[in-house]
Amino acid sequence: MQAAMNELEIPILSEEGLSIPFEERRQWQRMWIVDPLDGTKEFIKRNGEFTVNIALAERGVPTMGVIYVPVTGTLYFADTRLGAFKIDNAQGIMADGMAELTQLIPKAARLPVPQNQGRPFTVMGSRSHATPELKAYVDAIREEHPGALFIPAGSSLKICRVAEGFADIYPRLGPTMEWDTAAGQAIATASGAKVVRHDDGSPLTYNKPELLNPWFIVKR
């Protein structure tokens, strides 16, 4: 995968590139942001909730994203100009390597998918990184939406659930890195959802001097 990406001569940011100085990175107008294993704790637990995340960011904004769930073969992908999509049982597509977006769209369901209007307000949260702040946030939501559901999940699947329309909000009140969120943000944004900072409501940005994300909210 990385070899194919290198052929495009676009620099790659990942955890392995954490030591790349910002003075070098700041020249990158376009960049891949890659997490080859998002959800390490879920991988160790063998619960299947880990993903491969790839995003293309332009001037600090994720414009394309791919999230693949190896255990289920589910593929999420998006271009913010064309929309967000999901393919179930995409193992064959992934085995063939990188495919043209226009080839994938006819095989995919557009996000968000139609939902039962009667479902309860649904909150996604981290399965392995719960915090007291998250509990307080969910308690406040339940005051506003009695009967609200809280569903824990691992990795970037939480963002995907909001992008699909199966959940209404995912508050991340804990640390994440840019490669944890870039692909999910592209998919969520292309689906009509928002990924914003918890403190001021502005969109998350990328290739910052500090690669640690602020707390954020994904919401429909």
Side-chain angles (χ1 to χ4, degrees), residues 138-161:
V138 174
D139 288 344
I141 286 179
R142 283 175 169 156
E143 289 289 329
E144 183 179 354
H145 300 277
L149 293 180
F150 175 79
I151 300 178
S155 67
S156 55
L157 286 172
K158 300 180 288 293
I159 302 178
C160 292
R161 295 291 183 258

Side-chain angles (χ1 to χ4, degrees), residues 35-53 128-129 153-158 179-180:
D35 191 346
L37 178 56
D38 182 28
T40 304
K41 290 188 176 181
E42 318 311 326
F43 179 78
I44 293 171
K45 294 176 184 176
R46 298 181 180 273
N47 64 16
E49 294 183 343
F50 58 91
T51 59
V52 178
N53 303 344
S128 300
H129 301 280
S155 67
S156 55
L157 286 172
K158 300 180 288 293
W179 42 82
D180 295 320

Side-chain angles (χ1 to χ4, degrees), residues 19-187:
S19 61
I20 299 174
F22 178 64
E23 288 305 311
E24 177 181 344
R25 289 191 288 108
R26 73 188 304 171
Q27 309 300 321
W28 298 355
Q29 298 300 303
R30 305 177 76 209
M31 57 190 291
W32 296 112
I33 305 179
V34 178
D35 191 346
L37 178 56
D38 182 28
T40 304
K41 290 188 176 181
E42 318 311 326
F43 179 78
I44 293 171
K45 294 176 184 176
R46 298 181 180 273
N47 64 16
E49 294 183 343
F50 58 91
T51 59
V52 178
N53 303 344
I54 304 172
L56 178 69
E58 302 179 72
R59 292 181 170 84
V61 177
T63 56
M64 299 180 68
V66 175
I67 293 177
Y68 182 59
V69 190
V71 170
T72 64
T74 304
L75 175 67
Y76 300 89
F77 62 98
D79 181 313
T80 52
R81 298 163 298 182
L82 300 177
F85 305 87
K86 175 185 178 182
I87 300 177
D88 293 313
N89 301 314
Q91 294 93 331
I93 294 173
M94 297 306 293
D96 290 339
M98 300 178 72
E100 292 288 339
L101 190 63
T102 53
Q103 296 174 328
L104 293 178
I105 289 176
K107 305 175 183 178
R110 182 178 289 272
L111 305 183
V113 299
Q115 296 295 310
N116 179 355
Q117 296 301 313
R119 72 163 175 77
F121 192 91
T122 303
V123 185
M124 299 302 301
S126 176
R127 186 181 296 282
S128 300
H129 301 280
T131 63
E133 292 85 357
L134 174 61
K135 182 181 184 302
Y137 193 95
V138 174
D139 288 344
I141 286 179
R142 283 175 169 156
E143 289 289 329
E144 183 179 354
H145 300 277
L149 293 180
F150 175 79
I151 300 178
S155 67
S156 55
L157 286 172
K158 300 180 288 293
I159 302 178
C160 292
R161 295 291 183 258
V162 179
E164 288 178 272
F166 290 130
D168 298 283
I169 192 167
Y170 161 42
R172 182 57 185 245
L173 309 184
T176 58
M177 303 300 289
E178 291 191 4
W179 42 82
D180 295 320
T181 58
Q185 181 165 340
I187 293 167

